[in-house]
Amino acid sequence: MKKLVLSLLAIVSFTLFSMAQNGYKVGDNIKDFSLQNIDGKKVSLADYKDSKGFIITFTCNHCPYAMAYEDRILALNNKYAKAGYPVIAINPNDAIQYPEDNFEAMQVRAKEKKFNFPYLYDESQNIAKQFGAIKTPHVFIVQKVGDKFVVQYIGAIDDNWEKAADVKEKYAESAIDALLAGKPVATTSTKAIGCGIKWKK
Amino acid sequence: MNYYRQLLFIILCTISTVSFAQTFVPIFDLPQYQNRVLQKNDTLYVVNFWATWCKPCVEELPLFQTATIAYKDKPVKIILVSQDAKSRVFGVEQFLNMRKYTTECFLLSAGNPNIWIEKIEPKWSGTIPATILYKNGENVNFHEGDFADQKALEDFIHSKL
């Protein structure tokens, strides 16, 4: 009996551990969420009745990498929202350690940059943990399949954060283009340098 | 560009009447990085990836500076690898000089991160800070994230010393 309890405990803690460590992988179904947008309204994936999927981007205000990608995130939304893949940006950073990432600062930044997509505040950091997001920017491309949302790509937007003009591989765009064409995504995950998400202490 | 900056650096050093160590930060590509850290000798290379904009990285730099001095006479070489933009290299030099950091530093500009991160350390997600130990031309230990204190860094170094 004791052995059984111990092994059950081991399984449960291992599952919890691997969930906490890894988050979603390509091919996983994601759980919908409801987070507050900068306009004060809650946003969920279920609100988008006609979309084919989403470009879910963990980002923030303070990080130079995230800032370098703001215009490219706008361009992604301009190009793909109409095709059925809108951008949903989520800021998961702890505002106590990074006041420049607090809700008011998000509103200011979104206005300055004329964000035309939701910029959601993951105050509890639960959604970032659920996804396994670790840095900003960190992109998850999700495809709607029936009533499920399936992860099809995780990683970077492209291969050159310093200079948009020198980009050779547009990873996020290639993934969405493939999905829109009904083809498998060639590169399903990529690595990039980024600002680690600042977790609450 | 590196050549001219090196020349300028030498000239500046020569004409400088005040003698204090100035940190020069060269820009390396991946082969240059590998040449520097993969050496067939008994020195342990402690390679820390950081950037001036990365708060936890900057907060732990004093640990690496202390270690640089503490291991001066031992076969241990501490190296900082900046992940700042190439265009910010002078800012990196200024940053180190202002704080009187003497640890060797270069800026790694190696093209597509999806390729070079994997080549350097497959376990690395790409967040910084991250620290790698090299010995005898091999990657022997890796730590993603910052170190809690001097002892944590020392324990990591001693894991392969």
Side-chain angles (χ1 to χ4, degrees):
Chain A
M1 185 62 198
K2 201 173 163 190
K3 254 189 182 166
L4 181 73
V5 173
L6 275 176
S7 43
L8 271 176
L9 261 177
I11 291 166
V12 168
S13 50
F14 178 75
T15 315
L16 284 175
F17 178 75
S18 46
M19 270 167 65
Q21 283 288 303
N22 299 323
Y24 294 134
K25 299 220 167 44
V26 172
D28 284 355
N29 297 332
I30 69 160
K31 253 171 61 186
D32 199 356
F33 50 80
S34 176
L35 289 172
Q36 192 178 26
N37 193 8
I38 39 168
D39 62 6
K41 291 180 188 141
K42 293 269 187 183
V43 170
S44 296
L45 301 185
D47 301 339
Y48 292 76
K49 298 273 182 269
D50 301 324
S51 80
K52 293 175 183 158
F54 300 94
I55 308 168
I56 299 171
T57 306
F58 290 88
T59 186
C60 67
N61 292 342
H62 89 272
C63 166
Y65 278 86
M67 285 155 81
Y69 274 107
E70 283 170 332
D71 290 339
R72 280 176 262 183
I73 295 169
L74 275 160
L76 276 176
N77 194 56
N78 287 336
K79 185 166 177 186
Y80 291 106
K82 271 180 246 142
Y85 279 82
V87 165
I88 294 182
I90 303 174
N91 166 26
N93 270 340
D94 177 21
I96 295 168
Q97 293 171 81
Y98 282 97
E100 58 269 58
D101 285 337
N102 72 24
F103 190 68
E104 291 72 31
M106 285 171 67
Q107 291 173 316
V108 171
R109 190 69 191 157
K111 204 173 168 190
E112 276 171 4
K113 292 299 295 183
K114 300 193 175 66
F115 283 178
N116 53 4
F117 46 79
Y119 189 21
L120 311 181
Y121 187 33
D122 183 15
E123 194 176 3
S124 69
Q125 305 187 314
N126 286 339
I127 305 308
K129 283 179 190 156
Q130 188 179 308
F131 271 76
I134 46 171
K135 60 190 160 210
T136 55
H138 200 166
V139 172
F140 292 74
I141 293 173
V142 170
Q143 185 185 27
K144 212 190 267 184
V145 182
D147 58 352
K148 294 201 165 69
F149 304 106
V150 185
V151 179
Q152 298 286 9
Y153 172 82
I154 301 175
I157 290 172
D158 57 44
D159 66 352
N160 194 319
W161 75 279
E162 278 186 59
K163 255 179 134 176
D166 289 348
V167 167
K168 289 188 190 78
E169 301 265 6
K170 296 184 174 183
Y171 296 118
E173 288 200 20
S174 303
I176 305 163
D177 288 343
L179 293 172
L180 287 171
K183 289 178 186 156
V185 175
T187 304
T188 54
S189 69
T190 55
K191 285 185 176 181
I193 297 288
C195 304
I197 290 172
K198 203 72 187 166
W199 304 106
K200 288 181 192 209
K201 281 182 178 159
Chain B
M1 184 184 164
N2 256 345
Y3 172 77
Y4 287 110
R5 289 187 46 241
Q6 258 163 24
L7 195 70
L8 183 72
F9 174 70
I10 292 162
I11 293 166
L12 282 175
C13 282
T14 318
I15 59 169
S16 168
T17 46
V18 199
S19 73
F20 62 93
Q22 282 276 351
T23 306
F24 166 68
V25 178
I27 297 169
F28 280 9
D29 58 15
L30 191 60
Q32 287 171 312
Y33 169 88
Q34 286 163 332
N35 276 341
R36 183 69 193 101
V37 301
L38 300 175
Q39 301 213 28
K40 294 275 180 204
N41 56 33
D42 283 330
T43 301
L44 181 72
Y45 292 87
V46 182
V47 180
N48 172 253
F49 287 81
W50 73 293
T52 56
W53 49 260
C54 162
K55 205 161 145 185
C57 305
V58 168
E59 279 167 3
E60 72 166 357
L61 280 188
L63 306 183
F64 288 93
Q65 175 61 25
T66 303
T68 301
I69 294 161
Y71 292 96
K72 193 163 47 86
D73 302 320
K74 299 213 167 62
V76 175
K77 183 77 192 163
I78 317 273
I79 299 175
L80 302 176
V81 178
S82 161
Q83 277 303 298
D84 288 270
K86 256 195 295 193
S87 57
R88 285 263 309 139
V89 68
F90 293 113
V92 175
E93 286 176 356
Q94 204 180 17
F95 178 95
L96 295 171
N97 286 326
M98 268 173 62
R99 287 163 183 77
K100 300 200 165 44
Y101 289 151
T102 53
T103 311
E104 175 182 338
C105 178
F106 57 82
L107 189 149
L108 178 67
S109 179
N112 186 346
N114 188 44
I115 294 167
W116 70 255
I117 293 172
E118 195 73 15
K119 279 188 183 159
I120 285 180
E121 174 54 68
K123 289 198 291 281
W124 184 17
S125 74
T127 57
I128 55 172
T131 306
I132 305 174
L133 297 183
Y134 291 96
K135 199 171 193 178
N136 274 315
E138 275 178 59
N139 174 340
V140 289
N141 208 350
F142 168 68
H143 175 84
E144 186 158 341
D146 51 2
F147 290 98
D149 50 31
Q150 200 70 42
K151 188 177 176 302
L153 173 59
E154 268 171 33
D155 287 349
F156 181 68
I157 293 172
H158 282 273
S159 73
K160 297 294 170 186
L161 192 60

